[in-house]
Amino acid sequence: MIYLVYKMHLTGKSRSNLKTFWHWLEDREKWFYSSLPMVKSVRWYYSVVGDVYTLESWTAFEDEAAFGEYRKVLAVLKADTEWETERVSQDDWYEFLSTRLVTDPPAKVGFGQLNNVR
């Protein structure tokens, strides 16, 4: 698996009403990924100690080809003005800090619910 990882910091709008933000995020995830079947899973992580109000999104793909297909479909979707207007509304809720692409290591390490090793 490979993972597209975005790190974001919540804006003042989000921090001032976290209940509304979490509701928006739930709805947005359903909307955004509904046209992207190559996405195998999405995990969210929220920092509560240290770098507070920071959110990470881990989007999983089977391989680089699936990630490439994701990029192609996004390019088509972004050409739709209505879709793109909805997509960029995310800037009201969080600011992107970094992006990276990571992969699982080529060894049987780690354990737990997500990878069923051990």
Side-chain angles (χ1 to χ4, degrees):
M1 296 293 277
I2 63 170
Y3 307 90
L4 175 61
V5 182
Y6 286 109
K7 185 175 182 180
M8 296 89 67
H9 190 260
L10 300 187
T11 64
K13 176 180 178 176
S14 298
R15 295 189 311 269
S16 67
N17 193 339
L18 287 170
K19 183 177 180 179
T20 300
F21 168 72
W22 294 120
H23 180 73
W24 171 84
L25 186 61
E26 288 175 358
D27 290 345
R28 185 181 192 288
E29 180 181 84
K30 291 172 193 165
W31 167 81
F32 185 81
Y33 292 103
S34 67
S35 299
L36 301 165
M38 71 293 296
V39 172
K40 295 300 176 189
S41 68
V42 179
R43 300 277 306 177
W44 294 89
Y45 300 95
Y46 183 57
S47 295
V48 294
V49 175
D51 197 6
V52 295
Y53 298 115
T54 300
L55 187 64
E56 285 193 10
S57 168
W58 287 62
T59 305
F61 304 89
E62 274 188 33
D63 52 27
E64 293 86 356
F67 176 68
E69 183 62 23
Y70 167 83
R71 300 294 298 170
K72 286 179 192 173
V73 171
L74 275 184
V76 170
L77 291 170
K78 286 179 180 183
D80 178 311
T81 304
E82 185 177 326
W83 190 91
E84 181 63 1
T85 299
E86 181 68 24
R87 184 190 72 82
V88 299
S89 70
Q90 67 196 7
D91 296 341
D92 293 339
W93 299 97
Y94 42 68
E95 170 191 4
F96 287 93
L97 301 174
S98 65
T99 305
R100 66 189 192 274
L101 199 59
V102 299
T103 188
D104 291 322
K108 291 186 178 184
V109 293
F111 65 92
Q113 179 181 354
L114 296 179
N115 55 13
N116 297 316
V117 175
R118 289 190 192 180

